[in-house]
């Protein structure tokens, strides 16, 4: 039998030359059974080529086309080859992880329904189909799952509200508008295990009684959109949707559409203007109908919760942060990528243990957690455990699990300015604190940085930040000041 | 236009004759969708490389919307264009992760090398430069996207290679 070789077709792996590597492998040994999988998320090793053996998959990487040609010149290399990383599953960076949600990501060919099912796909959905809606909701509630998009609202409570809402038509909407810098877990799931998300949406639909679903994906993810669309077509043709109508809709570059009410407006074909709440989307959401909206990871975690039970999920994590967190390490970091770990590891363990410090080799100056609206965390807080409450206690947030690392050359004053500039660029314009405040904020930061009445302007800036926090309609204006205030507090010499 | 494509030399012809029939056909095909406007606009832009202002009344009439509503949506979203871009669009990521790895320098280099600012197109109509706020490629910053393809760890030299000049 010909040797089976796996080369990722994830968009980051491809950006590092995975396509050329795949071509080189195929050209070097035409007998090889070449498979294009997703990526494991160990991006410093990409393109990572895996070779199937009786003992497991051997890893080689990072490779380029030339090295791949040499490596496969005399057939697939064996475990004793000097460049062999060993068994991929035994790599320390995977050993340390607890892959619940991302279990299949990187392992299978994303559009192979057979491989999906061979690796536990649809087990959760099958169990859900044997339960009543209330029982499904109870399972998710008991699991302790909280919204992984960033708000950390209990998913089961949200589902319960939609289940209890009156309405002939209900919707499930997946928020796949992963706009936060430093995050790519949603993209990985959509590209590398799209059936998982579809399974999660089917479970949500059963739980709340919805007959239609939409995945609102950002346009910046063309490969995710392509894979998801094809996955929906295949899964529907195979008869797994059971009447549930699911569509992918593409955003058009507006960050604000990651905010749930703005996303609903956009799905309805309108400007992405934030809505007043109440009513909650759970009561009056898409087209005014009861709508459950969850992030990709929340929905993609429902299948394993249903398959293994709520208790299994509760075994991971700490306090009220149960289950796993898909940490996404990026920026100036030696080993950037995705690490699914139980809540509770400290920031230092993640940055140093998993990330290996900065890419530049210089000391870490700060970490921005939770996207562009998240605080810049100084090293003195690096012993904070990764859980929602501990982060809140230091004025930060975990958000979607993105950690962007900066070395000591970073200009945090400039980054604080950027936070407000970004807010001004992306504001939907509906409420004054955000629309005007962000623009004025940039001006005040500039005055401080130019030394114009710096002391007075610092007071003004803080005041402006609090006006935005207290007076904005949604999280964009309400949180964009957080990175600014964190820089003023922890890096006072820079702003 | 999807992120995956540049203008590719298409002219964004005003909807005279064939083009206006094309837009009408697109509206017709999408009419049964719930909330079809964004899908219609994406498809028009795929076909014409932009959404020419002359299309607005056709789309508005076809979807029973006001011209103001259609115009309002087009102008709200950064990825919709009313004039065709260069043959290729280069999206340079401005977000924090890329900034942590030299994104600011890359952005300055790109503007200088092409002699244009964001939103501009080179005089020969070949390349347009656009900012983008995160491409989800943050573990290998800084990132650039051209013709729907991501490029990782782009420094000044890699950028020059990418644009072939």
């Amino acid at each position: 039998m010909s040797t089976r070789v796996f080369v990722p077709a994830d968009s980051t792996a491809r950006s590092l030359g995975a396509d050329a590597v795949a071509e080189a492998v195929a050209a070097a040994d035409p007998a090889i059974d070449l498979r294009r999988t997703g990526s494991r998320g160990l991006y410093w090793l990409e393109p990572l080529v895996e070779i199937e053996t009786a003992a497991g998959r051997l890893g080689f990487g990072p490779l380029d086309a030339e090295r791949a040609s040499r490596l496969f010149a005399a057939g697939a290399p064996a475990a004793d080859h000097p460049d062999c990383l060993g068994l991929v599953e035994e790599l320390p960076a995977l050993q340390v992880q607890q892959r619940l949600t991302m279990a299949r990501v990187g392992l299978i060919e994303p559009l192979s329904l057979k491989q999906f099912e061979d690796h536990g796909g649809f087990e959760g959905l099958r169990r859900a189909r044997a339960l009543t809606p209330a029982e499904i909701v109870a399972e998710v509630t008991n699991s302790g799952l909280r919204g992984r998009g960033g708000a950390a609202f209990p998913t089961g409570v949200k589902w319960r509200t939609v289940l209890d809402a009156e309405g002939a038509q209900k919707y499930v909407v997946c928020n796949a508008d992963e706009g936060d810098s430093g995050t790519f877990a949603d993209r990985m799931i959509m590209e590398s295990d799209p059936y998982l998300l579809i399974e999660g949406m089917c479970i949500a639909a059963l739980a709340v009684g919805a007959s239609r679903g939409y995945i609102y994906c950002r346009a910046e993810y063309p490969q995710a959109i392509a894979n998801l669309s094809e996955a929906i077509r295949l899964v529907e043709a195979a008869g797994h949707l059971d009447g549930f109508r699911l569509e992918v809709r593409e955003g058009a570059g507006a960050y604000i559409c990651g905010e749930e009410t703005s996303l609903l407006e956009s799905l309805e074909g309108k400007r992405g203007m934030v809505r007043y709440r109440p009513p909650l989307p759970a009561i009056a959401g898409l087209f005014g109908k009861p709508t459950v909206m969850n992030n990709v990871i929340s929905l993609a975690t429902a299948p394993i919760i249903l398959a293994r039970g709520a208790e299994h999920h509760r075994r991971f994590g700490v306090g009220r942060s149960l289950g796993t967190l898909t940490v996404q390490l990026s920026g100036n970091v030696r080993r950037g990528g995705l690490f699914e770990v139980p809540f509770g590891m400290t920031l230092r363990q993640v940055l140093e243990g998993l990330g290996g410090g900065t890419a530049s080799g210089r000391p870490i100056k700060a970490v921005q957690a939770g996207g562009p609206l998240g605080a810049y965390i100084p090293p003195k807080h690096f012993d904070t455990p990764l859980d929602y409450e501990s982060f809140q206690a230091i004025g930060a947030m975990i958000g979607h699990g993105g950690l962007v690392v900066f070395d000591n050359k970073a200009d945090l004053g400039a980054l604080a300015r950027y936070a407000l500039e970004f807010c001004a660029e992306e504001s939907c314009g509906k409420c004054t604190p955000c629309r005007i405040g962000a623009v004025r904020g940039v001006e005040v930061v500039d005055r401080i940085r130019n030394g114009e009445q710096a002391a007075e302007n610092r007071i003004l800036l803080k005041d402006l930040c609090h006006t935005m926090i207290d007076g904005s309609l949604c999280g964009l204006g309400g949180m964009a000041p957080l990175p600014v205030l964190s820089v003023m507090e922890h890096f006072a010499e820079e702003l | 236009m999807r992120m995956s494509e540049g203008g590719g030399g298409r002219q964004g012809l005003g909807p005279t004759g064939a083009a206006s029939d094309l837009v009408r056909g697109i509206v017709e095909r999408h009419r049964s969708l719930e909330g079809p406007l964004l899908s219609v606009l994406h498809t028009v832009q795929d076909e014409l490389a932009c959404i020419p202002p002359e299309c607005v009344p056709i789309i508005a009439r076809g979807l029973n919307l006001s011209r103001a509503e259609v115009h309002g949506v087009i102008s709200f979203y950064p990825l919709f264009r009313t004039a065709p871009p260069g043959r290729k669009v280069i999206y340079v990521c401005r977000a924090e992760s890329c900034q942590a790895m030299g994104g600011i320098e890359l952005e300055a280099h790109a503007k200088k090398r092409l002699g244009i600012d964001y939103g501009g197109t080179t005089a020969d109509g070949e390349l347009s430069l656009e900012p983008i706020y995160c491409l989800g490629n943050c573990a290998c910053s800084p990132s650039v996207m051209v013709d729907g393809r991501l490029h990782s760890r782009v420094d000044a030299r890699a950028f020059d290679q990418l644009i072939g000049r």
Side-chain angles (χ1 to χ4, degrees):
Chain A
M1 210 173 89
S2 57
T3 309
R4 191 166 287 178
V5 175
F6 306 89
V7 182
D10 155 281
S11 55
T12 291
R14 294 176 72 194
S15 77
L16 295 164
D19 289 348
V21 167
E23 281 168 31
V25 171
D29 184 356
I32 276 172
D33 178 11
L34 185 70
R35 303 296 176 110
R36 300 301 299 269
T37 58
S39 169
R40 308 266 191 170
L42 313 179
Y43 284 126
W44 68 99
L45 293 177
E46 292 289 1
L48 172 66
V49 171
E50 300 180 17
I51 300 168
E52 193 167 74
T53 69
R57 294 190 192 176
L58 298 174
F60 292 84
L63 294 184
D64 56 22
E66 203 187 309
R67 287 190 60 205
S69 299
R70 275 204 308 271
L71 202 57
F72 284 85
D80 57 1
H81 192 284
D83 288 352
C84 183
L85 300 170
L87 292 173
V88 175
E89 297 288 347
E90 290 176 6
L91 290 173
L94 279 180
Q95 283 278 302
V96 72
Q97 297 193 41
Q98 189 66 55
R99 290 209 164 190
L100 303 182
T101 310
M102 312 291 286
R104 271 182 304 264
V105 167
L107 199 62
I108 62 167
E109 290 174 270
L111 292 172
S112 164
L113 258 174
K114 179 169 186 319
Q115 290 174 35
F116 174 74
E117 294 191 71
D118 286 348
H119 288 86
F122 291 136
E123 272 174 27
L125 180 57
R126 264 196 298 277
R127 165 121 194 279
R129 284 190 171 138
L131 299 176
T132 65
E135 286 169 337
I136 302 174
V137 170
E139 196 75 60
V140 172
T141 306
N142 294 338
S143 76
L145 177 66
R146 293 166 72 181
R148 296 285 190 256
F153 187 80
T155 305
V157 174
K158 199 186 258 187
W159 288 18
R160 178 87 239 176
T161 312
V162 182
L163 172 61
D164 291 343
E166 296 285 333
Q169 172 75 65
K170 295 180 187 178
Y171 292 99
V172 177
V173 173
C174 172
N175 184 342
D177 197 58
E178 185 177 49
D180 288 351
S181 169
T183 63
F184 41 84
D186 294 353
R187 176 184 64 70
M188 288 181 65
I189 289 174
M190 293 188 285
E191 286 184 4
S192 299
D193 196 8
Y195 296 125
L196 172 66
L197 176 58
I198 295 171
E199 184 184 359
M201 290 189 75
C202 289
I203 293 170
L206 285 174
V208 304
S211 57
R212 293 190 83 145
Y214 290 98
I215 301 168
Y216 184 91
C217 183
R218 60 201 303 257
E220 290 85 343
Y221 287 177
Q223 193 175 328
I225 292 169
N227 284 17
L228 267 178
S229 305
E230 183 62 6
I232 291 173
R233 196 184 68 74
L234 292 170
V235 89
E236 194 165 27
H240 291 292
L241 289 187
D242 204 18
F244 180 52
R245 289 176 66 186
L246 188 55
E247 272 180 55
V248 181
R249 289 289 175 89
E250 183 175 351
Y255 175 77
I256 190 62
C257 290
E259 194 283 333
E260 63 177 3
T261 62
S262 165
L263 189 156
L264 291 171
E265 290 288 302
S266 187
L267 262 183
E268 291 182 8
K270 301 174 189 161
R271 293 162 68 88
M273 304 289 281
V274 171
R275 292 179 185 171
Y276 290 99
R277 271 171 297 203
L280 290 171
I283 308 292
L286 188 60
F287 301 107
K289 307 287 192 258
T291 302
V292 62
M293 188 185 311
N294 293 118
N295 168 255
V296 173
I297 300 176
S298 310
L299 288 164
T301 304
I304 191 162
I305 289 172
L306 267 294
R308 305 254 184 102
E311 277 311 311
H312 174 263
H313 189 256
R314 296 183 68 89
R315 266 189 243 150
F316 306 95
V318 288
R320 297 206 296 124
S321 303
L322 295 172
T324 53
L325 177 66
T326 44
V327 174
Q328 299 133 79
L329 262 183
S330 70
N332 198 326
V333 66
R334 200 147 75 88
R335 294 191 289 267
L338 179 131
F339 302 87
E340 183 176 355
V341 292
F343 283 97
M345 275 181 98
T346 68
L347 199 46
R348 190 183 309 281
Q349 287 170 323
V350 170
L351 299 172
E352 292 171 6
L354 304 179
T358 61
S360 60
R362 305 169 68 99
I364 298 178
K365 182 175 189 176
V367 171
Q368 188 180 31
L373 314 178
Y376 286 95
I377 302 171
K380 71 171 182 187
H381 286 321
F382 284 178
D383 289 314
T384 308
L386 281 158
D387 70 71
Y388 296 121
E389 280 68 35
S390 299
F391 262 54
Q392 208 172 3
I394 60 162
M397 60 171 183
I398 284 184
H400 189 46
L403 297 173
V404 182
V405 183
F406 294 85
D407 74 5
N408 64 358
K409 283 173 82 177
D411 179 349
L412 287 170
L415 285 159
R417 181 189 190 279
Y418 173 83
L420 291 165
E421 187 193 349
F422 179 73
C423 181
E425 175 76 29
E426 301 292 345
S427 175
C428 81
K430 185 153 176 167
C431 71
T432 315
C434 174
R435 184 184 66 244
I436 310 282
V439 177
R440 294 289 173 254
V442 173
E443 294 166 359
V444 177
V445 170
D446 283 343
R447 274 183 231 129
I448 295 171
R449 282 164 61 82
N450 290 335
E452 298 169 37
Q453 294 178 290
E456 290 88 341
N457 275 313
R458 278 197 189 93
I459 295 169
L460 188 63
L461 182 60
K462 274 191 188 154
D463 195 43
L464 177 66
C465 283
H466 287 292
T467 301
M468 289 175 71
I469 292 169
D470 296 336
S472 296
L473 199 50
C474 81
L476 178 55
M479 298 199 296
L482 298 180
V484 182
L485 291 172
S486 68
V487 170
M488 294 180 85
E489 183 183 347
H490 301 301
F491 306 93
E493 65 290 355
E494 302 202 27
L495 185 64
Chain B
M1 168 194 57
R2 303 297 208 264
M3 292 289 299
S4 52
E5 286 171 53
R10 287 168 296 180
Q11 288 303 302
L13 292 171
T16 50
S20 69
D21 285 346
L22 182 113
V23 174
R24 261 187 284 273
I26 290 168
V27 172
E28 205 47 53
R29 283 208 307 283
H30 289 82
R31 208 200 295 275
S32 63
L33 296 182
E34 294 185 312
L37 183 53
L38 261 75
S39 304
V40 166
L41 296 175
H42 271 305
T43 311
V44 170
Q45 195 160 281
D46 281 347
E47 296 288 340
L48 300 176
C50 68
I51 306 162
E54 307 88 84
C55 292
V56 171
I58 303 175
I59 297 169
R61 210 172 303 125
L63 297 179
N64 196 24
L65 297 169
S66 71
R67 281 176 294 163
E69 283 170 307
V70 177
H71 172 77
V73 169
I74 295 168
S75 57
F76 183 86
Y77 294 95
L79 292 177
F80 290 138
R81 301 169 170 273
T82 53
R87 183 171 286 273
K88 283 186 177 186
V89 183
I90 300 165
Y91 293 97
V92 176
C93 181
R94 291 199 66 207
E96 290 85 345
S97 176
C98 290
Q99 289 190 38
M101 289 301 282
I104 305 268
E105 292 77 7
L106 172 66
E107 159 178 274
H109 174 80
K111 289 179 182 175
K112 197 172 151 214
R113 195 86 182 90
L114 297 174
I116 50 177
D117 202 345
Y118 284 135
T121 300
T122 52
D124 60 6
E126 279 296 305
L127 303 171
S128 293
L129 188 66
E130 293 288 346
I132 198 93
Y133 297 89
C134 196
L135 291 161
N137 192 43
C138 318
C140 303
S141 296
S143 303
V144 168
M145 189 178 258
V146 185
D147 281 344
R149 288 301 295 258
L150 267 174
H151 299 271
S152 286
R153 300 175 190 142
V154 181
D155 56 13
R157 217 184 58 172
F159 183 85
D160 292 350
Q161 265 177 358
L162 203 61
I163 62 168
R165 41 171 100 180

